[in-house]
Amino acid sequence: MAVYLDHNATSPQRLESLTAMNEWLALPANPSSAHSYGRAARKQLEDARKIIAEKISAWPNEIIFTASGTEANITALRGFPERKLLVSAVEHSSVLKHAGNDNMIKVIANGIIDLADLEQKLASNTHPALVSIMLANNETGIIQPIAEIAELCKKYGALLHCDAVQALGKIPVDFSLLGADMLSISAHKCGGPLGAAALVIKNNLSIKPLLSGGGQELGRRAGTENIAAIAGFAAAIEVIDLNYMKTLREYMDEMEAQIQSAGGIIFGKNSKRLPNTTCVAMPGVSSEIQLIDFDLNGYAVSAGSACSSGRIEKSHVLLAMGVAPELAGCAIRVSTGWNTSKQEIENFTKAWLKLKARLAK
Ligand code: PLP
């Protein structure tokens, strides 16, 4: 089996999460049913809600379960249609697609939001805005100063949504400390299953539901909750090991040092970044060539944002950071996780150096 270094795409499910899910897969589990099966499902749903809320310092009734991080993001963005939307230029496509160019907040070369641009856009708004800025970037791992951004939003009466999908499981995520009004999280990025995610929304906010019909999730998201996946989400969140993430950063730092000394370029090197993520260019060698070579040699990594056709597009994140298009076309993303060993990172480092030396000849 290939070494899996693509945890930011999806992280392998943890055994604890699989076990918790398995208990529910064979049962009729609709938490809205009044009979004993339904009541058991309701208990599981509310237990999971409590566990997840506690882990991120939110209240249980602030959690709306959704089927994906994408759905959580879109629920937040469409939930306040009277507000003008402002999003950063480095957001995930599920956020980016909702804003026009005029509503795009710039980033500076280190990948951090241009706070002056945000303030200028907030100040020139005639009516209150909804700002959406991610906690950590999926391609570079760069972490945004959300608490500072939240202060600025408050000053101008704007609401702040924060996409924390990549941050959960890698760095502390504390809803009350961040100061955002809404937060998106997703199970499959932190050792849970596909099919469960959540939008966390402050108690005092009333949101227009994206999906309406049934009264599930206090009328904020219609559709029968996916109990097995939600049980798996709570079990995964319980076993998050942030200490191992810190250890991974040490291994990744060593990898980055070796790659840099051989001519590799690490994006956001001096910015605060996720402990598991490295976005690196091998100048003169296209991302496609690298991906194919690493794949043939048993390493699963990724590049830019692979669209649904599998074609690789130049990273909008790197372009927004002012990286030249030719260099952006030579970048790959290495993202490790809970089951990545030091040996695997060392072996990948050797593979990178070997490819670089071979192509230089
Ligand atoms: N937000 C970020 C930052 C992501 O990286 C992703 C997925 O890659 C998403 C949102 C979407 O999450 P999901 O795959 O659960 O829809």
Side-chain angles (χ1 to χ4, degrees), residues 23 154 271:
E23 281 185 33
K154 230 171 259 151
S271 305

PDB file of all heavy atoms in Angstrom, residues 23 154 271:
ATOM      1  N   GLU A  23     -22.064   0.093  15.509  1.00  0.00           N
ATOM      2  CA  GLU A  23     -23.185  -0.219  16.411  1.00  0.00           C
ATOM      3  C   GLU A  23     -24.507   0.246  15.827  1.00  0.00           C
ATOM      4  O   GLU A  23     -25.554  -0.290  16.151  1.00  0.00           O
ATOM      5  CB  GLU A  23     -22.978   0.515  17.735  1.00  0.00           C
ATOM      6  CG  GLU A  23     -21.993  -0.164  18.643  1.00  0.00           C
ATOM      7  CD  GLU A  23     -21.939   0.550  19.989  1.00  0.00           C
ATOM      8  OE1 GLU A  23     -22.974   1.072  20.440  1.00  0.00           O
ATOM      9  OE2 GLU A  23     -20.832   0.575  20.550  1.00  0.00           O
ATOM     10  N   LYS A 154     -16.787  42.897  14.590  1.00  0.00           N
ATOM     11  CA  LYS A 154     -17.697  43.428  15.617  1.00  0.00           C
ATOM     12  C   LYS A 154     -17.785  44.950  15.503  1.00  0.00           C
ATOM     13  O   LYS A 154     -18.868  45.529  15.584  1.00  0.00           O
ATOM     14  CB  LYS A 154     -17.165  43.020  17.004  1.00  0.00           C
ATOM     15  CG  LYS A 154     -18.247  42.373  17.863  1.00  0.00           C
ATOM     16  CD  LYS A 154     -17.693  41.777  19.133  1.00  0.00           C
ATOM     17  CE  LYS A 154     -17.540  40.271  19.013  1.00  0.00           C
ATOM     18  NZ  LYS A 154     -16.482  39.726  19.822  1.00  0.00           N
ATOM     19  N   SER A 271       5.033  31.691   8.320  1.00  0.00           N
ATOM     20  CA  SER A 271       3.715  31.990   8.893  1.00  0.00           C
ATOM     21  C   SER A 271       3.341  30.889   9.868  1.00  0.00           C
ATOM     22  O   SER A 271       3.876  29.781   9.802  1.00  0.00           O
ATOM     23  CB  SER A 271       2.654  32.045   7.791  1.00  0.00           C
ATOM     24  OG  SER A 271       3.028  32.964   6.803  1.00  0.00           O
TER      25      SER A 271
END
